[in-house]
Amino acid sequence: MQDEPELRRAVGLADACELLSAATAFPGEPLAAALSGGALVDDAAACLVDAGASEDEARAACARWASLGGTDAELLAADLRRVHSLLHIRQGDGVALFPYEGAFRCVREGHGDNPGLFRSPLTLDVEARMREVGALPADARTEPCDSMWTEAAFLAALLGSRAAALEAGDDEAATAWLAHAERFRDGHLMTWLAPFLDDSAHVARSLADQGDVGELAARYREGLRDWGRCAARLLAAA
């Protein structure tokens, strides 16, 4: 078995990516209940510490999410669903913030406000990376596979496979899985994670200031940005 600190860090990074996936996907009742009850903050802080953050860093990164503890879970769920819809689902004037890498980067880099979702070179490359290891999502024909939540889940699977290889003492497999993870991390997720989280928090706060969503929704997205920045720093050093 690999030494404990390296294995713990590998598991922490995989868990952080899995949590990122859950935190950016369309929110359901379980997410709101975990926020209200404090379980999400406990998990979010724990995976940061396992991945190499100090207790103080993890606590600071989760502070805004922690402030949602004790809120009404039903009200919180409604706020989270509304802000997700207004951010990422087409409204009358378009999509405020595309949650797909190809479309997000196309708009942010000034290549147009109405990009294609399935056939961009970035989307096709994500699809190829997933197919390479037999992890193409079942809904890839109907949902672009380069969404933030799908990319995060894929990186979680790659890092989780590395952790399993480390635990089994298979250094060759661990090295191979790490190579897959680093290539996907550097070529895709890390190229847009920070600006996506920043823009998400900024737009959510603007929507709350205008009265279009509740304060809880804005605070959640700001908390996602704070936690995500810490997770991104740890991922970059993997």
Side-chain angles (χ1 to χ4, degrees):
M1 181 182 291
Q2 188 67 26
D3 65 280
E4 184 64 27
E6 184 176 2
L7 177 59
R8 181 185 179 192
R9 185 163 178 268
V11 171
L13 290 170
D15 288 347
C17 287
E18 187 174 356
L19 193 148
L20 176 63
S21 176
T24 53
F26 188 79
E29 300 293 338
L31 178 67
L35 274 167
S36 177
L40 187 139
V41 169
D42 291 343
D43 290 345
C47 69
L48 293 181
V49 171
D50 286 346
S54 69
E55 295 280 356
D56 288 344
E57 287 174 324
R59 190 161 38 250
C62 296
R64 280 193 174 89
W65 275 352
S67 73
L68 297 173
T71 56
D72 182 271
E74 187 173 343
L75 176 62
L76 180 56
D79 263 7
L80 297 184
R81 287 193 293 267
R82 179 163 177 76
V83 76
H84 183 99
S85 297
L86 290 178
L87 281 172
H88 303 315
I89 297 176
R90 185 173 296 277
Q91 309 296 319
D93 55 352
V95 179
L97 190 67
F98 282 103
Y100 308 108
E101 182 190 355
F104 177 87
R105 290 176 60 181
C106 179
V107 172
R108 192 173 178 86
E109 293 164 10
H111 301 309
D113 295 331
N114 192 30
L117 297 182
F118 286 92
R119 305 308 298 174
S120 81
L122 286 170
T123 307
L124 293 174
D125 191 64
V126 169
E127 185 177 313
R129 297 283 170 261
M130 293 176 172
R131 185 179 285 110
E132 183 180 11
V133 296
L136 189 66
D139 62 354
R141 291 185 177 274
T142 57
E143 174 74 11
C145 60
D146 62 340
S147 68
M148 178 56 68
W149 46 91
T150 305
E151 287 197 8
F154 179 56
L155 188 54
L158 295 176
L159 292 168
S161 294
R162 177 187 179 234
L166 286 172
E167 187 170 23
D170 188 341
D171 292 342
E172 183 177 353
T175 299
W177 283 116
L178 180 59
H180 282 298
E182 288 177 337
R183 183 169 60 163
F184 189 79
R185 177 199 66 189
D186 296 341
H188 289 287
L189 186 65
M190 293 298 287
T191 66
W192 68 299
L193 175 57
F196 175 82
L197 295 178
D198 288 347
D199 289 357
S200 169
H202 175 74
V203 177
R205 174 52 62 189
S206 295
L207 290 170
D209 290 345
Q210 296 164 16
D212 294 327
V213 301
E215 168 64 21
L216 299 181
R219 209 184 311 163
Y220 172 74
R221 287 285 174 160
E222 290 169 339
L224 176 58
R225 175 201 60 204
D226 296 347
W227 178 85
R229 283 175 176 170
C230 188
R233 177 180 62 79
L234 298 169
L235 277 169

